[in-house]
Amino acid sequence: MRLFLFLVGGTGSRVLRPLIMQLAAGVLPTDDNGNKTPLELVPIIIDPHKANEDLKRTENLLRNYRQLHNSIYGDKVDICDGFFAAKISTLSDITANTQDIPDTFLFNLGSVDSKRFAEFIGFNTLDSANQALCSMMFSKYQLDTKMDIGFVGSPNIGSVAINQFKDSNEFKQFSNVFQKTDRIFIVSSIFGGTGAAGYPIIVKNIRNADNNTAVNNRGDLRNAKIGALTVLPYFNIQQDENSPISRADFISKTKSALFYYHDNLTGIKKDGKDTGLSKLNACYYLGDEMGSMPYFNDPGGNGQRNDAHIVEFVGALAILDFLQTSDDKLQTVDGVAVNPIFKEYGLANDKTQLSLRDLGLQSRMMIDKPMVKFHLAYMYLTNQLRNDIGRGYTEDKPEITQSFLTSNFYTTLTSGFYIGYRQWLKELKGNMRSFVPFNLDTDKLKECITDVQPKSGFLKSAIDYKTILAAMNSASQKAMKTSRFESGNVASKLLSLLNETLDKIVDDKFNGIV
């Protein structure tokens, strides 16, 4: 299955961040029989604010992930299990004519770079009557806004600027490679500028592909399976009289956008009456009235970096839920969804500090065990691997030697991806609501999972690093008999053994893991 994931504005990048973590843990969509299915994810980030720190660190995670996946699996396809199993590609990776498409996850909004909005619309070239009309529609602040910091909470600016989407090389190449079996998902917030504006424009241009003669696969795009996550207000910001962004405006902007979405996307009207029809096959709505620790009020000039939040983690689950929804529930005829799906999310326990056990049962069944396995692997590889080199499984072919610790793979994993992973967990813990799936203040495996205790009883030993080493040794010996890793590489061997052995260890050693 291939998913084109459009991430609009800062919230899009922030929701992508936990999705990367979930995919790194080996979370994959499942079919109706509960079997994991291979996934290729093609993220397309639409944000004019290239200096956005949330965007930059998410893009770094994407590049690290892609490098790690390729090191482990090489050219293999249809990977159905394992850490970093899902394939993450740029649009350039899957496009035959790559000369016009840069190898980046970021959609090119070059026409807005360093321009004031007034310059973008050619305000000074308009006659006096049209200048007066523009001045009625846009404030002086909006006309003077440099759009390379985003649309500063002004969707009326964003809707004009992002409308170039349909004429871009990226959209044309996307249409060239899109297949009937592919899916599309859009992530955006509703209370800002870029996300609120970009979401309906993307849907419009995909559903109206029949009218764009420069677009291939027009019929497939028009009837594509499209899902969307609309993120409602979920964080607080500091009050700043000099900033155009105000928490007090979030609710009014949300209401206005919801009315517009209802009339034009999710509840299409005809002759002023509701038709019950929708352009979206599945709509997810998510927010949190509790808010967050107050973020610095930054319209964009200082990089705009927000700490990770539980709402973003749950938002990533909406994407996975959409992938697991069967084709027969996502039918589209003439650009209109048949029996569209609308979903919200409720926690199992409404608390200020959450663990994995406070998520809904369906969520827990999807992610708890993979996330626990990934965290145990993180602890083993960062705290213990160097001590185990030279004994047991590390001496089996292909050998894991001390030189592996300076390899490109290990450096990317531990000095790149794992640093981002730990920082993400620290931010989740420090926010409000606080989400603490793992205890970062211990290096003991038996204490590392919040609200989950190791099994105890007669002859039941506690989990420690020796437990993992013994299990890895046993699994490696079995693999040697079948020459399983004979033609493989060290990274593939190490991560495969860890995934396999931790699967059994988690079942054997811990209570309460779904």
Side-chain angles (χ1 to χ4, degrees):
M1 180 184 297
R2 184 163 63 184
L3 177 71
F4 290 94
L5 180 61
F6 291 91
L7 305 131
V8 195
T11 299
S13 291
R14 289 190 287 272
V15 170
L16 179 54
R17 194 178 173 203
L19 179 64
I20 296 168
M21 303 304 179
Q22 292 162 10
L23 297 181
V27 178
L28 287 169
T30 56
D31 61 22
D32 291 340
N33 297 318
N35 300 314
K36 290 184 177 181
T37 58
L39 172 65
E40 181 178 22
L41 184 72
V42 186
I44 301 172
I45 302 173
I46 300 177
D47 193 342
H49 188 194
K50 294 180 181 178
N52 185 329
E53 293 296 329
D54 290 328
L55 184 156
K56 288 196 291 187
R57 63 182 177 178
T58 297
E59 192 171 25
N60 285 335
L61 278 175
L62 285 169
R63 293 197 173 279
N64 286 336
Y65 182 107
R66 183 172 65 163
Q67 183 175 334
L68 293 168
H69 171 91
N70 293 340
S71 295
I72 299 166
Y73 303 105
D75 295 330
K76 291 181 182 178
V77 295
D78 296 338
I79 306 300
C80 293
D81 189 35
F83 302 125
F84 301 96
K87 183 176 179 60
I88 294 182
S89 303
T90 63
L91 194 55
S92 175
D93 288 333
I94 61 172
T95 303
N97 299 320
T98 59
Q99 62 270 19
D100 295 329
I101 303 294
D103 184 27
T104 177
F105 297 100
L106 185 61
F107 177 82
N108 180 23
L109 284 171
S111 63
V112 306
D113 281 356
S114 302
K115 286 184 179 179
R116 294 184 306 115
F117 182 63
E119 294 175 293
F120 180 78
I121 62 174
F123 182 84
N124 290 334
T125 67
L126 301 175
D127 58 35
S128 58
N130 282 313
Q131 285 187 353
L133 178 62
C134 284
S135 296
M136 291 175 61
M137 297 174 63
F138 305 102
S139 69
K140 185 178 185 305
Y141 179 89
Q142 291 174 332
L143 289 170
D144 289 339
T145 295
K146 286 187 66 175
M147 293 186 295
D148 59 358
I149 64 168
F151 303 127
V152 290
S154 302
N156 54 337
I157 294 179
S159 61
V160 175
I162 296 179
N163 205 40
Q164 66 179 285
F165 172 79
K166 67 181 184 300
D167 300 317
S168 66
N169 285 331
E170 286 87 348
F171 184 69
K172 293 172 186 175
Q173 294 299 335
F174 154 67
S175 72
N176 288 338
V177 297
F178 184 84
Q179 300 175 13
K180 187 179 295 186
T181 55
D182 296 339
R183 295 186 182 187
I184 297 166
F185 198 91
I186 304 161
V187 178
S188 63
S189 69
I190 199 171
F191 55 95
T194 306
Y199 162 40
I201 288 173
I202 293 170
V203 175
K204 179 188 74 172
N205 284 297
I206 291 173
R207 289 297 189 216
N208 294 345
D210 277 354
N211 301 323
N212 190 341
T213 57
V215 168
N216 294 336
N217 303 325
R218 292 193 290 274
D220 290 343
L221 275 177
R222 178 170 171 77
N223 291 320
K225 297 172 177 63
I226 305 178
L229 168 66
T230 296
V231 182
L232 285 69
Y234 71 97
F235 59 77
N236 296 316
I237 58 172
Q238 299 170 3
Q239 190 61 34
D240 184 350
E241 295 181 356
N242 297 317
S243 171
I245 309 297
S246 171
R247 167 74 183 182
D249 296 334
F250 285 178
I251 298 302
S252 60
K253 288 182 177 181
T254 297
K255 289 181 178 179
S256 297
L258 282 173
F259 277 117
Y260 178 83
Y261 291 176
H262 175 266
D263 291 347
N264 295 277
L265 291 176
T266 61
I268 304 170
K269 285 190 174 183
K270 186 176 183 180
D271 298 328
K273 297 181 180 180
D274 288 338
T275 62
L277 303 176
S278 172
K279 293 182 181 179
L280 280 299
N281 298 92
C283 299
Y284 298 81
Y285 295 94
L286 182 63
D288 190 358
E289 293 181 351
M290 184 175 289
S292 68
M293 301 297 289
Y295 298 152
F296 176 67
N297 192 327
D298 177 16
N302 293 310
Q304 207 173 43
R305 181 184 179 280
N306 293 353
D307 285 348
H309 193 284
I310 178 63
V311 162
E312 297 148 9
F313 184 88
V314 173
L317 298 180
I319 301 168
L320 292 167
D321 182 83
F322 175 71
L323 288 169
Q324 295 188 161
T325 304
S326 60
D327 285 344
D328 60 350
K329 295 180 181 178
L330 300 173
Q331 296 299 309
T332 309
V333 177
D334 294 331
V336 176
V338 178
N339 298 320
I341 299 167
F342 298 91
K343 290 190 177 185
E344 297 179 318
Y345 191 89
L347 294 167
N349 301 296
D350 186 7
K351 295 160 42 179
T352 57
Q353 179 170 307
L354 305 169
S355 69
L356 288 171
R357 299 187 64 150
D358 296 309
L359 301 176
L361 180 59
Q362 185 176 343
S363 301
R364 295 188 61 197
M365 292 177 66
M366 187 191 310
I367 65 165
D368 274 20
K369 189 174 181 181
M371 294 296 292
V372 168
K373 287 169 54 181
F374 184 74
H375 191 74
L376 293 175
Y378 152 74
M379 294 189 68
Y380 175 79
L381 291 173
T382 54
N383 295 327
Q384 185 62 29
L385 175 63
R386 65 181 60 250
N387 299 322
D388 288 345
I389 289 179
R391 54 181 176 170
Y393 76 93
T394 67
E395 296 184 300
D396 297 335
K397 301 291 184 180
E399 294 181 36
I400 303 175
T401 64
Q402 289 292 331
S403 63
F404 176 71
L405 301 178
T406 58
S407 67
N408 189 43
F409 173 84
Y410 187 78
T411 302
T412 301
L413 180 64
T414 57
S415 298
F417 198 89
Y418 278 165
I419 287 178
Y421 171 69
R422 185 176 180 87
Q423 179 62 33
W424 173 68
L425 289 175
K426 289 174 67 175
E427 292 174 15
L428 285 170
K429 178 181 179 180
N431 218 324
M432 182 64 65
R433 302 175 192 259
S434 176
F435 182 43
V436 191
F438 305 112
N439 178 10
L440 294 178
D441 297 325
T442 183
D443 59 0
K444 297 180 180 179
L445 299 180
K446 64 181 181 180
E447 299 174 355
C448 72
I449 310 171
T450 307
D451 289 345
V452 174
Q453 297 297 321
K455 295 178 181 179
S456 60
F458 183 66
L459 298 180
K460 181 65 69 174
S461 61
I463 180 174
D464 54 25
Y465 293 112
K466 293 181 180 178
T467 307
I468 295 180
L469 176 61
M472 296 274 277
N473 289 342
S474 177
S476 182
Q477 286 298 303
K478 292 179 181 178
M480 287 282 288
K481 294 177 182 178
T482 60
S483 302
R484 176 178 162 193
F485 298 118
E486 189 171 293
S487 59
N489 58 48
V490 173
S492 177
K493 168 189 170 179
L494 178 60
L495 271 292
S496 295
L497 287 176
L498 269 174
N499 177 62
E500 177 184 327
T501 57
L502 289 174
D503 195 74
K504 298 175 182 178
I505 287 173
V506 168
D507 287 340
D508 183 54
K509 296 295 184 180
F510 288 99
N511 291 304
I513 301 296
V514 176

